[in-house]
Amino acid sequence: MKGRFAPTPSGRMHLGNALCALLSWLSARSAGMGYVLRVEDLDTLRSGGAFTPLLLDDLRWLGLDWDEGPDVGGNAAPYEQGKRADIYQAWYSRLCKAVRVYPCFCSRAQLHAAQAPHRSDGVYVYSGRCRAYTPEEADALLCSGHRAAGRVLVPPGTEIRFTDGHCGPQAVRLDEEFGDFLVRRSDGVFSYQFAVTVDDALMGITEVVRGRDLLSSSACQTFLYQALGFPAPSFTHLPLLLSHDGARLSKRDGAMDLGALRERMRAEDLIGRLAYACGLLERPEPAAPRELIPLFRWDKIPGEDIRLPEGLFSA
Ligand code: GLU
């Protein structure tokens, strides 16, 4: 049994990432499970690699540890997505044999013009435009130099059901919520949905804990688990952290990144205040992650997004 934390190093870690790291770690450690750190630097252009050492340093500073990861190795190495392209390629070939994956030639402008209504979280539902090409037509376009992304065909009426460890039973109409989703981008980079599924499966992850913004992604991933013949892990999605005025914390809010927070407080102060904010401690008193293991229970964590009391992390 294994849990994991799978951050994208596209900037300095912020408080929301720290909460996700802490709770995924506590959930795994309180159940005696192993814990994996995987760096999701798939989009190397955006990530650039500069934030990975800082990420590892911030996690260690917080007092977290992992049994497998980029710096400690493990059976499923490498633990950085940017180094796993050959693995994804092999599983992409298998996926293409198991279900229909078709080339999509749509430009960004076409995607935006022809979409079904955008969902509130910015994910759009693909119209299915390129599904109509015959293999010969698609080959002709590829041979004449057109670049294509890869989309997996989601049959009409596909409903994915799973029970989230914190949000309860879920039923997602994959065709209506996502449509034929991307597994590979036209620049050859594998999609988040595909890479995360292959990685969690090959790394033997049995428990996925992450932010609620990824709840519906679990449906895409469950579809891919089924297509590739892997058992799906359990999914538990955390409430998001909001600032005291109700705005979502983001990487742009520099005052809440670990660089700024580390200047203002000790790790035990930060962990204790986070534990207080999410209901594990009654007072914001200093605590190390390992001291919280006996106190951890999912039913103490609020169901709703967590609004931080004003000034809790100011000094
Ligand atoms: N890499 C993703 C992120 O940092 C999380 C992926 C996951 O936990 O599945 O937002």
Side-chain angles (χ1 to χ4, degrees):
M1 303 279 274
K2 275 185 218 173
R4 51 72 150 180
F5 180 52
T8 300
S10 56
R12 190 79 187 250
M13 195 167 148
H14 67 83
L15 205 54
N17 306 128
L19 179 71
C20 185
L22 175 65
L23 294 184
S24 59
W25 185 88
L26 285 173
S27 181
R29 294 309 196 203
S30 65
M33 294 188 204
Y35 191 68
V36 174
L37 174 66
R38 180 175 70 243
V39 175
E40 303 216 317
D41 56 352
L42 198 55
D43 201 345
T44 42
L45 277 180
R46 199 181 46 167
S47 311
F51 289 103
T52 301
L54 278 172
L55 174 72
L56 269 61
D57 188 59
D58 284 340
L59 290 168
R60 292 228 188 273
W61 178 82
L62 288 169
L64 303 176
D65 65 348
W66 44 94
D67 312 304
E68 298 170 46
D71 52 341
V72 294
N75 289 341
Y79 292 90
E80 287 143 297
Q81 288 189 327
K83 298 181 179 159
R84 295 175 63 79
D86 294 349
I87 299 170
Y88 302 138
Q89 183 58 54
W91 286 94
Y92 186 72
S93 304
R94 290 210 196 185
L95 183 74
C96 294
K97 289 193 188 107
V99 288
R100 182 165 171 221
V101 177
Y102 65 84
C104 172
F105 300 94
C106 290
S107 64
R108 198 175 283 262
Q110 280 168 324
L111 286 176
H112 284 280
Q115 297 317 314
H118 284 237
R119 287 183 357 192
S120 55
D121 58 3
V123 174
Y124 56 76
V125 182
Y126 182 57
S127 66
R129 181 179 171 273
C130 291
R131 210 190 284 160
Y133 288 119
T134 63
E136 295 72 30
E137 287 169 335
D139 282 349
L141 281 167
L142 289 170
C143 289
S144 61
H146 287 82
R147 296 214 302 184
R151 287 188 185 274
V152 67
L153 183 114
V154 176
T158 302
E159 185 179 66
I160 303 287
R161 288 171 180 267
F162 61 96
T163 298
D164 185 89
H166 201 49
C167 307
Q170 307 291 317
V172 179
R173 272 292 297 273
L174 202 57
D175 54 331
E176 290 174 354
E177 291 262 324
F178 286 89
D180 300 342
F181 61 90
L182 275 185
V183 277
R184 183 143 98 166
R185 298 190 330 208
S186 61
D187 60 4
V189 175
F190 291 96
S191 74
Y192 158 69
Q193 306 292 6
F194 180 72
V196 82
T197 303
V198 170
D199 288 346
D200 282 335
L202 297 184
M203 292 175 186
I205 304 301
T206 51
E207 176 183 271
V208 168
V209 175
R210 60 188 171 200
R212 194 162 297 170
D213 49 335
L214 291 169
L215 177 62
S216 62
S217 284
S218 302
C220 297
Q221 293 160 28
T222 301
F223 181 86
L224 294 174
Y225 278 108
Q226 289 169 359
L228 292 170
F230 292 122
S234 69
F235 294 107
T236 300
H237 289 85
L238 303 172
L240 302 178
L241 275 189
L242 307 178
S243 61
H244 67 90
D245 56 8
R248 201 176 144 187
L249 294 185
S250 83
K251 284 194 175 156
R252 285 183 294 279
D253 185 1
M256 289 299 189
D257 78 26
L258 266 281
L261 286 160
R262 282 174 70 161
E263 281 174 19
R264 298 206 290 275
M265 62 188 76
R266 299 171 307 159
E268 308 86 84
D269 298 321
L270 191 152
I271 292 288
R273 292 174 205 194
L274 265 184
Y276 166 71
C278 71
L280 292 178
L281 287 179
E282 277 168 29
R283 282 178 301 282
E285 59 206 9
R290 64 177 183 286
E291 292 167 336
L292 299 172
I293 293 175
L295 304 179
F296 178 78
R297 280 207 330 261
W298 275 113
D299 61 8
K300 292 184 181 169
I301 310 297
E304 298 303 312
D305 287 346
I306 300 167
R307 204 185 262 235
L308 293 174
E310 190 164 9
L312 184 63
F313 286 93
S314 6

